[in-house]
Amino acid sequence: MLPYARQSVDEEDIAAVVRVLHGDLLTTGPEVPAFEAAFAEYVGAPYAIACSSGTAALHLACLALGLEPGDQVIVPTISFVATANCARYCGADVIFCDVDPDSGLATAETVREAMDRADHGKLKAVFVVHMTGAAVDLARISSLTKNAGIALIEDACHSLGTRYDIEPGRQGIVGDCALSDFAVFSFHPVKTITTGEGGMITTRDPKAAERLARARNHGLIRSPEDWVEKSMAFDPVDGEPNPWFYEQQDIGYNYRLTDIQAALGRSQLRKLPMFVDRRRQLAARYRRQAASLGPCARLVSSAQNPDAVLHLMVALIDFENVGLTRREVMLRLRDRGIGSQVHYIPIHRQPYYRERSATPDLPGASRYYDRCLSLPFYPDMTADDVSTVCSVLSDVLG
Ligand SMILES: *Cc1c(COP(=O)(O)O)cnc(C)c1O
C-alpha cells in the first residue's frame, strides 16, 4: 500500500533518540536549544522556538500577538482546522477568506475581500497557509497587512524548505519572516521532517521570542531582572536571588518539546537537504506523467512552482465529467494499493464555525475542494511508484 504521506526515519535518527534515553535529561536538556539553533539557521530567522505541536505553535503565536475576545483574524478556509482554532483558543473571531481554485492559495485579492468584511479596529491579524508547500504571494499580502497595521502569520506547516520572492530579484526561504511576524511549522509524521509530534515558531522580534518561550512554559520567568515580587525573590540580607524562586506574570501552558523529540528533529533536519531534493525529483516525475491522467485530471497549479518543496501532491479531478464520485475513485485506488486523502474540507463549513458566523459563498474554495485529491508523495517513494500511481489513476478515471 502506498499511503498519501509517510515519514522517513532511519537508523541514525533512532540512534539519536536512544542517546537521549541513555542520558539524564529527557526534557528541557541541551537538545531543544540545539534543534532551535539549527532550525533558525536553516530558515534564516534570528529566533526559533520549539514546542509540542504545530497547533501549539499557532496558539503561542496568537498569545504573543495578545489576541483577545472581540478581536478578529482572517484565515483561509482551505487549511487544517487548527489554523482557525488557534484564534478561538484566545476568544478571537475568525473571518474566512477564499482561495484560488487552481492552487488552493489565498491571494492578495481574496485577503482584501475578507478585510472588507472585517470590522475596522477589531481586525488584528491575517493568517496565510502555504498550501501543499507552494508559497502564497507574501510580498503583495504583506503590503496589505502593513498598510492596515495588522500582523501577518504564516502557517508554514506544509512548506519547510520552500523559497519565495521577498521582492523582485530577491528570494527568501519560508520561515525567515522577512515579510511576516511569525512562521509556524509542524513536525507531525506526514510533514517534511518529523519529531512524532512537535512544532516550531520563527520570528525576527526578540520581545515576541521571549513571550513565546514563556508562554510555552507556564508563563514562568526565570531571569531575576524581570521579577516584580522583590521581597519574595531576593534575600533581604545580601540581595541575591533566592535559588528556588520563579515568577508567573501571565498565563502560560506546558507546550514544551522533549529532548527525545528534539534529538529526532535535529537528526531529521540534517537530512532535510536530501528530502528536499527527493521531493523535487518526485514532483518533476509527477509533472511529466500528469498528461497521462487524461482530460479530467491535472495536478494543482502550485505543483508547477519550481521553488516549492511540496508536502502534498494534489490532483484536481473533474469527478462529474469522469462519471464517478470522489468516494468511488478513492475506494478503487485503495483496492489497487494506492492511498489518497482530501486536503481540506473548507473550515467555514464545519458545524462549529457555521454556528458562530455566516460566511458568504467562497467559490474558489468550493471549486478547489470539489476537485482535490492528494496522491502518494513522500521521499521513500520510487520513481516507479509515481508511474504506478499515475497509470492506476488514469485507468480508474477511464
Ligand atoms: C499539520 C498542520 C497543522 C497542525 O500541526 P500539528 O503538529 O498536527 O498540530 C496546522 N496547519 C497545517 C496547514 C497543517 O498541515
Side-chain angles (χ1 to χ4, degrees):
M1 185 81 188
L2 300 171
Y4 86 83
R6 194 194 137 73
Q7 71 276 13
S8 297
V9 171
D10 67 11
E11 291 304 322
E12 235 172 56
D13 295 324
I14 293 166
V17 170
V18 170
R19 266 197 301 279
V20 174
L21 290 172
H22 281 302
D24 292 326
L25 296 169
L26 302 189
T27 194
T28 323
E31 285 293 337
V32 168
F35 181 36
E36 290 173 333
F39 194 94
E41 190 186 337
Y42 180 86
V43 300
Y47 305 99
I49 293 88
C51 58
S52 53
S53 68
T55 304
L58 286 163
H59 185 197
L60 288 171
C62 292
L63 291 166
L65 290 176
L67 288 186
E68 290 176 359
D71 289 344
Q72 297 178 340
V73 304
I74 289 171
V75 173
T77 192
I78 296 292
S79 185
F80 186 50
V81 291
T83 321
N85 287 350
C86 65
R88 295 293 308 142
Y89 298 161
C90 296
D93 294 316
V94 180
I95 294 168
F96 291 100
C97 80
D98 205 2
V99 300
D100 176 85
D102 296 323
S103 68
L105 297 172
T107 65
E109 287 71 30
T110 65
V111 170
R112 189 184 331 212
E113 186 279 327
M115 286 170 98
D116 289 342
R117 279 187 273 129
D119 291 330
H120 185 71
K122 288 187 179 174
L123 184 64
K124 296 292 159 63
V126 170
F127 287 75
V128 290
V129 181
H130 302 302
M131 194 48 209
T132 75
V136 303
D137 188 345
L138 271 182
R140 287 188 62 214
I141 294 172
S142 69
S143 75
L144 287 178
T145 54
K146 279 205 184 81
N147 284 339
I150 59 176
L152 179 59
I153 297 119
E154 298 171 72
D155 181 334
C157 290
H158 291 188
S159 56
L160 181 54
T162 287
R163 303 199 145 270
Y164 72 100
D165 292 327
I166 298 174
E167 59 192 15
R170 188 159 74 100
Q171 277 207 319
I173 185 157
V174 170
D176 64 12
C177 295
L179 297 173
S180 70
D181 296 274
F182 302 105
V184 168
F185 297 85
S186 163
F187 308 128
H188 182 279
V190 298
K191 307 295 161 74
T192 306
I193 65 170
T194 189
T195 61
E197 298 276 3
M200 190 78 78
I201 317 172
T202 57
T203 183
R204 295 194 162 265
D205 177 350
K207 286 250 157 46
E210 224 177 274
R211 281 199 298 278
L212 292 166
R214 279 181 196 179
R216 163 181 72 177
N217 190 29
H218 307 280
L220 299 185
I221 300 169
R222 302 226 179 239
S223 42
E225 62 277 15
D226 294 325
W227 291 338
V228 295
E229 286 296 333
K230 307 285 184 203
S231 66
M232 261 205 292
F234 299 98
D235 185 87
V237 179
D238 64 13
E240 288 297 310
N242 288 320
W244 67 83
F245 196 75
Y246 50 81
E247 191 169 274
Q248 183 195 348
Q249 295 170 5
D250 282 307
I251 192 71
Y253 298 79
N254 179 352
Y255 278 164
R256 295 186 306 262
L257 191 73
T258 66
D259 262 39
I260 306 168
Q261 294 167 310
L264 178 54
R266 205 148 69 90
S267 180
Q268 288 262 298
L269 192 60
R270 282 195 286 271
K271 300 179 189 25
L272 181 56
M274 200 174 75
F275 293 156
V276 163
D277 285 348
R278 191 71 198 132
R279 284 180 180 273
R280 288 212 169 107
Q281 286 162 7
L282 291 168
R285 179 98 182 171
Y286 262 111
R287 277 197 290 275
R288 284 197 296 276
Q289 310 248 317
S292 73
L293 297 178
C296 294
R298 61 191 164 97
L299 299 179
V300 73
S301 66
S302 51
Q304 314 305 325
N305 178 350
D307 296 319
V309 177
L310 294 186
H311 155 59
L312 295 174
M313 181 54 65
V314 176
L316 297 175
I317 300 171
D318 183 348
F319 293 99
E320 213 165 300
N321 264 325
V322 170
L324 293 170
T325 64
R326 179 156 50 195
R327 177 187 155 78
E328 286 168 326
V329 170
M330 287 180 85
L331 293 181
R332 286 180 195 197
L333 288 174
R334 196 185 65 189
D335 285 346
R336 295 178 66 176
I338 293 170
S340 60
Q341 189 48 276
V342 172
H343 298 95
Y344 294 98
I345 301 167
I347 308 172
H348 75 279
R349 295 206 208 159
Q350 297 290 351
Y352 176 86
Y353 286 102
R354 284 183 104 111
E355 279 165 23
R356 270 158 189 84
S357 65
T359 301
D361 190 32
L362 299 175
S366 293
R367 190 151 164 66
Y368 184 85
Y369 168 63
D370 287 345
R371 295 178 298 158
C372 68
L373 192 67
S374 301
L375 304 175
F377 191 66
Y378 50 92
D380 290 348
M381 275 179 90
T382 65
D384 283 349
D385 289 336
V386 173
S387 302
T388 304
V389 171
C390 291
S391 71
V392 171
L393 179 58
S394 79
D395 216 40
V396 166
L397 299 178

